[in-house]
Amino acid sequence: MIYSVLPLFLSLAFLFIGLLVLFKNKTNTVNISFFLLALMTFIWQYSWTFLYHIDKPLLAMNIIKIGYSGIIFLPVTFYQFLVAISESNKERKNIFIAYLIAVLFLLSLLFSNNFISGYYKYFWGYYPRAGIFHPLYLVFTISVAFRGLFLVYKKMLASTGRRHQQLLYIVLALFIYFLAAIDYLDNYGLQLYPMGIFFVFTSLCIITYSIVKHNLMDINVFIRRSTVYGLLFIVIMSSFVYAHLNSGNIWVFIGQTTLAIVICSIALYKYSQYEIERDRKSAKIMQSEYERQLEYRTILDGVRNAVFGFSYALHKPPSIQFDIIKNDTDIDFKTSILNTSGTQNAGEINDQKQDIIA
Protein backbone atom coordinates (compact mmCIF):
# COMPACT_ATOMS: atom_id res chain seq x y z
CA MET A 1 0.00 0.00 0.00
CA ILE A 2 1.05 3.58 -0.65
CA TYR A 3 0.94 4.41 3.07
CA SER A 4 3.94 2.14 3.66
CA VAL A 5 6.31 3.98 1.34
CA LEU A 6 7.22 6.98 3.49
CA PRO A 7 7.76 5.01 6.74
CA LEU A 8 9.99 2.62 4.81
CA PHE A 9 12.11 5.37 3.28
CA LEU A 10 12.36 7.30 6.54
CA SER A 11 13.31 4.25 8.61
CA LEU A 12 16.18 3.39 6.27
CA ALA A 13 17.31 7.02 6.10
CA PHE A 14 17.51 7.25 9.90
CA LEU A 15 19.33 3.93 10.08
CA PHE A 16 21.87 5.15 7.54
CA ILE A 17 22.55 8.50 9.24
CA GLY A 18 22.67 6.81 12.65
CA LEU A 19 25.24 4.26 11.51
CA LEU A 20 27.22 6.99 9.78
CA VAL A 21 27.46 9.02 12.99
CA LEU A 22 28.31 5.96 15.09
CA PHE A 23 31.05 4.69 12.78
CA LYS A 24 32.66 8.12 12.69
CA ASN A 25 33.41 7.94 16.42
CA LYS A 26 32.30 4.80 18.25
CA THR A 27 33.47 6.02 21.68
CA ASN A 28 31.94 9.50 21.77
CA THR A 29 28.81 9.72 23.94
CA VAL A 30 27.14 12.19 21.57
CA ASN A 31 27.57 9.86 18.60
CA ILE A 32 26.41 6.82 20.57
CA SER A 33 23.31 8.53 21.94
CA PHE A 34 22.36 9.85 18.49
CA PHE A 35 22.72 6.36 17.05
CA LEU A 36 20.39 4.99 19.75
CA LEU A 37 17.82 7.66 18.89
CA ALA A 38 18.12 6.83 15.19
CA LEU A 39 17.86 3.09 15.93
CA MET A 40 14.64 3.51 17.93
CA THR A 41 13.24 5.64 15.10
CA PHE A 42 14.16 2.89 12.64
CA ILE A 43 12.41 0.20 14.72
CA TRP A 44 9.31 2.39 14.99
CA GLN A 45 8.97 3.35 11.32
CA TYR A 46 10.20 0.05 9.88
CA SER A 47 7.61 -1.86 11.91
CA TRP A 48 4.87 0.50 10.78
CA THR A 49 5.89 -0.20 7.17
CA PHE A 50 4.61 -3.75 7.61
CA LEU A 51 1.77 -2.81 9.96
CA TYR A 52 0.17 -0.54 7.35
CA HIS A 53 0.46 -3.26 4.71
CA ILE A 54 -0.76 -6.49 6.28
CA ASP A 55 -4.32 -7.68 6.85
CA LYS A 56 -3.83 -10.31 9.56
CA PRO A 57 -4.97 -9.30 13.07
CA LEU A 58 -2.69 -11.67 15.01
CA LEU A 59 0.35 -10.67 12.99
CA ALA A 60 -0.61 -7.02 13.39
CA MET A 61 -0.54 -7.34 17.18
CA ASN A 62 2.94 -8.89 17.10
CA ILE A 63 4.26 -6.12 14.85
CA ILE A 64 2.67 -3.50 17.11
CA LYS A 65 4.61 -4.87 20.07
CA ILE A 66 7.85 -4.83 18.08
CA GLY A 67 7.28 -1.27 16.88
CA TYR A 68 6.21 0.02 20.28
CA SER A 69 9.32 -1.51 21.85
CA GLY A 70 11.22 1.15 19.94
CA ILE A 71 8.68 3.89 20.64
CA ILE A 72 8.90 3.32 24.41
CA PHE A 73 12.63 4.08 24.37
CA LEU A 74 12.35 7.06 22.02
CA PRO A 75 11.93 9.70 24.76
CA VAL A 76 14.80 8.17 26.76
CA THR A 77 17.26 8.18 23.85
CA PHE A 78 15.96 11.62 22.89
CA TYR A 79 16.78 12.85 26.41
CA GLN A 80 20.12 11.03 26.49
CA PHE A 81 21.22 12.68 23.24
CA LEU A 82 20.24 16.14 24.50
CA VAL A 83 22.13 15.58 27.75
CA ALA A 84 25.23 14.54 25.79
CA ILE A 85 24.98 17.55 23.47
CA SER A 86 24.54 19.96 26.39
CA GLU A 87 27.39 18.30 28.34
CA SER A 88 25.18 18.11 31.43
CA ASN A 89 27.06 15.45 33.38
CA LYS A 90 24.84 15.90 36.43
CA GLU A 91 21.92 14.44 34.44
CA ARG A 92 23.47 10.97 34.07
CA LYS A 93 21.63 9.67 37.12
CA ASN A 94 18.35 10.86 35.61
CA ILE A 95 19.15 9.00 32.38
CA PHE A 96 19.53 5.77 34.33
CA ILE A 97 16.19 6.35 36.08
CA ALA A 98 14.53 7.11 32.73
CA TYR A 99 15.78 3.80 31.31
CA LEU A 100 14.40 1.92 34.31
CA ILE A 101 10.98 3.50 33.83
CA ALA A 102 11.08 2.65 30.11
CA VAL A 103 11.89 -0.99 30.94
CA LEU A 104 8.81 -1.13 33.19
CA PHE A 105 6.65 0.16 30.33
CA LEU A 106 8.25 -2.42 28.03
CA LEU A 107 7.41 -5.27 30.40
CA SER A 108 3.83 -4.02 30.56
CA LEU A 109 3.71 -3.97 26.76
CA LEU A 110 5.08 -7.49 26.31
CA PHE A 111 3.28 -9.32 29.10
CA SER A 112 -0.07 -7.57 29.55
CA ASN A 113 -2.71 -5.47 27.83
CA ASN A 114 -2.32 -2.54 30.21
CA PHE A 115 -0.02 -0.54 27.95
CA ILE A 116 -1.44 -1.45 24.52
CA SER A 117 -4.88 -3.02 24.77
CA GLY A 118 -5.35 -3.94 21.12
CA TYR A 119 -5.57 -2.14 17.80
CA TYR A 120 -7.77 0.03 15.61
CA LYS A 121 -8.42 -0.66 11.93
CA TYR A 122 -8.07 2.66 10.14
CA PHE A 123 -8.19 3.42 6.42
CA TRP A 124 -4.37 3.23 6.18
CA GLY A 125 -4.08 0.00 8.20
CA TYR A 126 -3.84 -1.27 11.77
CA TYR A 127 -2.83 1.06 14.60
CA PRO A 128 -2.21 0.47 18.36
CA ARG A 129 -4.96 1.13 20.92
CA ALA A 130 -3.81 2.81 24.15
CA GLY A 131 -4.17 0.90 27.43
CA ILE A 132 -4.60 2.22 30.96
CA PHE A 133 -0.83 2.75 31.46
CA HIS A 134 -0.39 4.67 28.23
CA PRO A 135 -1.32 8.12 29.68
CA LEU A 136 1.45 7.67 32.25
CA TYR A 137 3.86 7.06 29.40
CA LEU A 138 2.74 10.30 27.74
CA VAL A 139 3.47 12.25 30.93
CA PHE A 140 6.87 10.58 31.10
CA THR A 141 7.60 11.42 27.44
CA ILE A 142 6.69 15.09 27.80
CA SER A 143 8.71 15.45 31.01
CA VAL A 144 12.01 14.03 29.74
CA ALA A 145 11.71 15.66 26.31
CA PHE A 146 11.18 19.18 27.63
CA ARG A 147 13.86 18.67 30.26
CA GLY A 148 16.35 17.75 27.55
CA LEU A 149 15.35 20.63 25.28
CA PHE A 150 15.70 23.05 28.20
CA LEU A 151 19.26 21.84 28.90
CA VAL A 152 20.33 22.32 25.29
CA TYR A 153 18.61 25.71 25.04
CA LYS A 154 20.43 26.90 28.16
CA LYS A 155 23.73 25.64 26.73
CA MET A 156 23.01 27.38 23.44
CA LEU A 157 22.48 30.76 25.13
CA ALA A 158 25.89 30.44 26.81
CA SER A 159 27.75 29.50 23.62
CA THR A 160 29.02 31.54 20.67
CA GLY A 161 30.24 31.05 17.12
CA ARG A 162 29.89 27.74 15.35
CA ARG A 163 28.95 25.93 18.57
CA HIS A 164 25.98 28.26 18.97
CA GLN A 165 24.86 27.49 15.41
CA GLN A 166 25.19 23.74 15.99
CA LEU A 167 23.07 23.84 19.14
CA LEU A 168 20.51 26.08 17.46
CA TYR A 169 19.96 23.51 14.72
CA ILE A 170 19.84 20.69 17.27
CA VAL A 171 17.14 22.46 19.29
CA LEU A 172 15.15 23.22 16.15
CA ALA A 173 15.47 19.71 14.70
CA LEU A 174 14.58 17.86 17.89
CA PHE A 175 11.74 20.22 18.78
CA ILE A 176 10.22 19.44 15.37
CA TYR A 177 10.92 15.74 15.97
CA PHE A 178 9.05 15.98 19.27
CA LEU A 179 5.99 17.31 17.40
CA ALA A 180 5.64 13.79 15.97
CA ALA A 181 3.96 13.03 19.30
CA ILE A 182 0.77 14.11 17.54
CA ASP A 183 0.57 10.49 16.37
CA TYR A 184 -0.40 9.48 19.92
CA LEU A 185 -3.86 10.89 19.20
CA ASP A 186 -4.48 7.91 16.92
CA ASN A 187 -3.85 5.62 19.90
CA TYR A 188 -7.03 7.07 21.43
CA GLY A 189 -9.35 6.57 18.47
CA LEU A 190 -8.80 9.73 16.41
CA GLN A 191 -8.71 8.51 12.81
CA LEU A 192 -6.14 10.90 11.36
CA TYR A 193 -3.30 9.63 9.19
CA PRO A 194 -0.13 9.76 11.36
CA MET A 195 1.29 13.15 10.38
CA GLY A 196 4.20 12.76 12.77
CA ILE A 197 6.21 11.14 10.02
CA PHE A 198 6.46 14.50 8.24
CA PHE A 199 7.84 16.13 11.39
CA VAL A 200 10.37 13.31 11.73
CA PHE A 201 11.38 13.70 8.09
CA THR A 202 11.80 17.48 8.53
CA SER A 203 13.99 16.98 11.58
CA LEU A 204 16.14 14.51 9.64
CA CYS A 205 16.65 17.11 6.90
CA ILE A 206 17.67 19.75 9.45
CA ILE A 207 20.12 17.40 11.16
CA THR A 208 21.64 16.42 7.82
CA TYR A 209 21.96 20.08 6.82
CA SER A 210 23.64 20.97 10.12
CA ILE A 211 26.09 18.10 9.66
CA VAL A 212 27.08 19.29 6.20
CA LYS A 213 26.93 23.04 6.85
CA HIS A 214 28.07 23.35 10.46
CA ASN A 215 30.16 20.21 11.00
CA LEU A 216 27.75 18.75 13.55
CA MET A 217 29.36 15.80 15.36
CA ASP A 218 32.49 16.35 13.21
CA ILE A 219 31.37 14.25 10.26
CA ASN A 220 30.83 16.84 7.53
CA VAL A 221 33.65 15.68 5.24
CA PHE A 222 32.68 12.04 5.58
CA ILE A 223 28.99 12.60 4.93
CA ARG A 224 29.69 14.56 1.76
CA ARG A 225 31.59 11.62 0.36
CA SER A 226 28.99 9.15 1.60
CA THR A 227 25.83 10.95 0.47
CA VAL A 228 25.71 9.27 -2.93
CA TYR A 229 26.29 5.84 -1.42
CA GLY A 230 23.70 6.50 1.26
CA LEU A 231 21.02 7.57 -1.19
CA LEU A 232 21.82 4.54 -3.32
CA PHE A 233 21.53 2.30 -0.25
CA ILE A 234 18.15 3.80 0.72
CA VAL A 235 16.70 3.63 -2.79
CA ILE A 236 17.81 0.04 -3.38
CA MET A 237 16.62 -1.17 0.01
CA SER A 238 13.31 0.68 -0.27
CA SER A 239 12.68 -0.78 -3.71
CA PHE A 240 13.67 -4.24 -2.54
CA VAL A 241 11.40 -4.16 0.49
CA TYR A 242 8.40 -2.62 -1.21
CA ALA A 243 8.62 -4.92 -4.24
CA HIS A 244 8.41 -8.00 -2.03
CA LEU A 245 5.78 -6.90 0.46
CA ASN A 246 3.05 -8.56 -1.59
CA SER A 247 4.78 -11.87 -2.13
CA GLY A 248 5.72 -14.87 -0.02
CA ASN A 249 5.62 -15.51 3.70
CA ILE A 250 5.87 -12.30 5.70
CA TRP A 251 8.25 -13.73 8.31
CA VAL A 252 10.58 -15.13 5.66
CA PHE A 253 10.58 -11.77 3.99
CA ILE A 254 11.27 -9.94 7.26
CA GLY A 255 14.22 -12.26 7.80
CA GLN A 256 15.52 -11.60 4.29
CA THR A 257 15.27 -7.83 4.60
CA THR A 258 16.86 -7.89 8.04
CA LEU A 259 19.78 -9.87 6.65
CA ALA A 260 20.10 -7.42 3.77
CA ILE A 261 20.15 -4.48 6.20
CA VAL A 262 22.83 -6.18 8.31
CA ILE A 263 24.98 -6.79 5.22
CA CYS A 264 24.57 -3.18 4.08
CA SER A 265 25.42 -1.96 7.58
CA ILE A 266 28.62 -4.01 7.59
CA ALA A 267 29.51 -2.63 4.17
CA LEU A 268 28.88 0.90 5.44
CA TYR A 269 31.10 0.23 8.45
CA LYS A 270 33.94 -1.02 6.27
CA TYR A 271 33.58 1.97 4.00
CA SER A 272 33.59 4.38 6.95
CA GLN A 273 36.78 2.81 8.29
CA TYR A 274 38.37 3.17 4.86
CA GLU A 275 37.38 6.85 4.74
CA ILE A 276 38.67 7.51 8.25
CA GLU A 277 41.99 5.81 7.48
CA ARG A 278 42.31 7.77 4.24
CA ASP A 279 41.66 11.03 6.08
CA ARG A 280 44.25 10.07 8.68
CA LYS A 281 46.86 9.36 6.00
CA SER A 282 46.06 12.60 4.19
CA ALA A 283 46.42 14.55 7.42
CA LYS A 284 49.74 12.83 8.11
CA ILE A 285 51.04 13.70 4.63
CA MET A 286 49.95 17.32 5.03
CA GLN A 287 51.63 17.50 8.43
CA SER A 288 54.87 16.10 7.01
CA GLU A 289 54.77 18.60 4.14
CA TYR A 290 54.15 21.43 6.58
CA GLU A 291 57.09 20.37 8.76
CA ARG A 292 59.34 20.10 5.70
CA GLN A 293 58.38 23.57 4.51
CA LEU A 294 58.91 24.92 8.02
CA GLU A 295 62.39 23.35 8.13
CA TYR A 296 63.31 24.92 4.78
CA ARG A 297 62.08 28.29 5.95
CA THR A 298 64.10 28.04 9.15
CA ILE A 299 67.26 27.29 7.15
CA LEU A 300 66.62 30.17 4.75
CA ASP A 301 65.96 32.55 7.63
CA GLY A 302 69.24 31.48 9.22
CA VAL A 303 71.19 32.08 6.00
CA ARG A 304 69.53 35.45 5.49
CA ASN A 305 70.28 36.57 9.02
CA ALA A 306 73.89 35.40 8.71
CA VAL A 307 74.48 37.28 5.45
CA PHE A 308 72.33 40.36 5.69
CA GLY A 309 72.60 40.67 9.44
CA PHE A 310 76.43 40.81 9.20
CA SER A 311 76.23 43.34 6.38
CA TYR A 312 73.86 45.46 8.43
CA ALA A 313 76.23 45.41 11.39
CA LEU A 314 79.10 46.65 9.18
CA HIS A 315 77.11 49.64 7.94
CA LYS A 316 75.21 50.41 11.13
CA PRO A 317 75.57 54.14 12.02
CA PRO A 318 76.99 55.11 15.40
CA SER A 319 74.53 55.74 18.18
CA ILE A 320 74.77 57.34 21.57
CA GLN A 321 72.59 56.38 24.51
CA PHE A 322 72.20 58.71 27.47
CA ASP A 323 70.91 57.61 30.83
CA ILE A 324 69.68 60.80 32.46
CA ILE A 325 69.58 60.94 36.24
CA LYS A 326 68.02 64.05 37.65
CA ASN A 327 69.25 65.26 41.01
CA ASP A 328 68.18 68.25 43.05
CA THR A 329 71.07 70.43 41.87
CA ASP A 330 72.35 69.09 38.59
CA ILE A 331 71.94 66.55 35.81
CA ASP A 332 74.42 63.71 35.58
CA PHE A 333 74.95 62.00 32.27
CA LYS A 334 76.01 58.43 31.86
CA THR A 335 77.10 58.10 28.30
CA SER A 336 77.34 54.82 26.46
CA ILE A 337 78.93 55.18 23.07
CA LEU A 338 78.23 52.45 20.53
CA ASN A 339 80.49 53.25 17.63
CA THR A 340 81.09 50.60 15.01
CA SER A 341 82.49 52.82 12.25
CA GLY A 342 84.71 55.28 14.08
CA THR A 343 84.86 57.62 17.10
CA GLN A 344 83.13 60.85 18.00
CA ASN A 345 84.95 63.82 19.40
CA ALA A 346 84.10 65.39 22.73
CA GLY A 347 82.57 68.47 21.08
CA GLU A 348 79.93 66.42 19.27
CA ILE A 349 79.05 64.61 22.47
CA ASN A 350 78.74 67.87 24.40
CA ASP A 351 76.49 69.29 21.69
CA GLN A 352 74.17 66.28 22.03
CA LYS A 353 74.16 66.69 25.81
CA GLN A 354 73.10 70.31 25.47
CA ASP A 355 70.29 69.34 23.07
CA ILE A 356 68.89 66.87 25.59
CA ILE A 357 69.16 69.35 28.48
CA ALA A 358 67.31 71.93 26.44
Side-chain angles (χ1 to χ4, degrees), residues 106-324:
L106 179 63
L107 294 175
S108 177
L109 169 70
L110 297 177
F111 300 107
S112 74
N113 294 325
N114 294 324
F115 190 81
I116 296 297
S117 61
Y119 52 80
Y120 294 103
K121 188 67 170 68
Y122 293 138
F123 67 87
W124 65 85
Y126 291 101
Y127 207 80
R129 182 196 299 268
I132 59 175
F133 287 168
H134 197 272
L136 298 177
Y137 167 75
L138 294 183
V139 174
F140 168 70
T141 298
I142 294 172
S143 300
V144 297
F146 274 96
R147 174 61 181 171
L149 288 171
F150 171 74
L151 292 173
V152 177
Y153 179 73
K154 186 170 66 173
K155 182 72 173 181
M156 181 189 70
L157 294 180
S159 61
T160 58
R162 189 178 70 175
R163 182 59 175 167
H164 179 83
Q165 291 295 324
Q166 290 176 338
L167 293 175
L168 176 62
Y169 280 105
I170 284 293
V171 170
L172 178 61
L174 293 185
F175 178 76
I176 293 175
Y177 184 99
F178 178 72
L179 294 179
I182 192 175
D183 288 355
Y184 290 129
L185 295 175
D186 293 303
N187 295 132
Y188 293 88
L190 180 63
Q191 187 170 339
L192 178 67
Y193 180 77
M195 302 296 292
I197 193 169
F198 298 104
F199 294 115
V200 174
F201 179 73
T202 303
S203 71
L204 176 64
C205 293
I206 295 174
I207 291 173
T208 304
Y209 173 80
S210 62
I211 288 174
V212 175
K213 185 69 174 179
H214 297 286
N215 196 22
L216 182 65
M217 291 176 279
D218 298 323
I219 62 171
N220 64 331
V221 176
F222 181 35
I223 196 172
R224 288 173 184 174
R225 295 173 184 166
S226 306
T227 300
V228 176
Y229 299 100
L231 291 175
L232 185 62
F233 160 75
I234 293 170
V235 170
I236 291 176
M237 285 300 302
S238 299
S239 302
F240 174 78
V241 173
Y242 195 73
H244 290 79
L245 274 174
N246 291 317
S247 61
N249 185 286
I250 186 68
W251 292 111
V252 173
F253 174 64
I254 290 176
Q256 291 175 342
T257 53
T258 302
L259 179 61
I261 290 173
V262 170
I263 293 174
C264 290
S265 300
I266 294 174
L268 178 61
Y269 171 75
K270 293 296 184 180
Y271 175 74
S272 68
Q273 296 304 302
Y274 165 75
E275 288 286 346
I276 292 172
E277 184 62 26
R278 188 170 71 172
D279 288 344
R280 186 181 294 113
K281 289 181 179 179
S282 298
K284 188 175 181 179
I285 292 173
M286 292 177 63
Q287 179 67 21
S288 299
E289 179 65 19
Y290 170 76
E291 292 175 353
R292 186 171 64 86
Q293 294 291 339
L294 185 61
E295 183 179 357
Y296 288 161
R297 183 171 181 176
T298 302
I299 294 173
L300 291 175
D301 286 345
V303 173
R304 185 188 63 185
N305 291 336
V307 175
F308 295 100
F310 178 72
S311 175
Y312 175 74
L314 291 178
H315 297 86
K316 186 177 181 180
S319 62
I320 299 175
Q321 179 181 353
F322 296 100
D323 294 330
I324 304 175

Side-chain angles (χ1 to χ4, degrees), residues 297-351:
R297 183 171 181 176
T298 302
I299 294 173
L300 291 175
D301 286 345
V303 173
R304 185 188 63 185
N305 291 336
V307 175
F308 295 100
F310 178 72
S311 175
Y312 175 74
L314 291 178
H315 297 86
K316 186 177 181 180
S319 62
I320 299 175
Q321 179 181 353
F322 296 100
D323 294 330
I324 304 175
I325 303 175
K326 293 186 178 181
N327 298 324
D328 293 336
T329 57
D330 61 352
I331 299 176
D332 181 29
F333 293 92
K334 292 185 178 180
T335 306
S336 173
I337 303 176
L338 302 176
N339 189 357
T340 58
S341 60
T343 59
Q344 288 181 300
N345 57 45
E348 292 175 343
I349 295 175
N350 289 330
D351 291 339

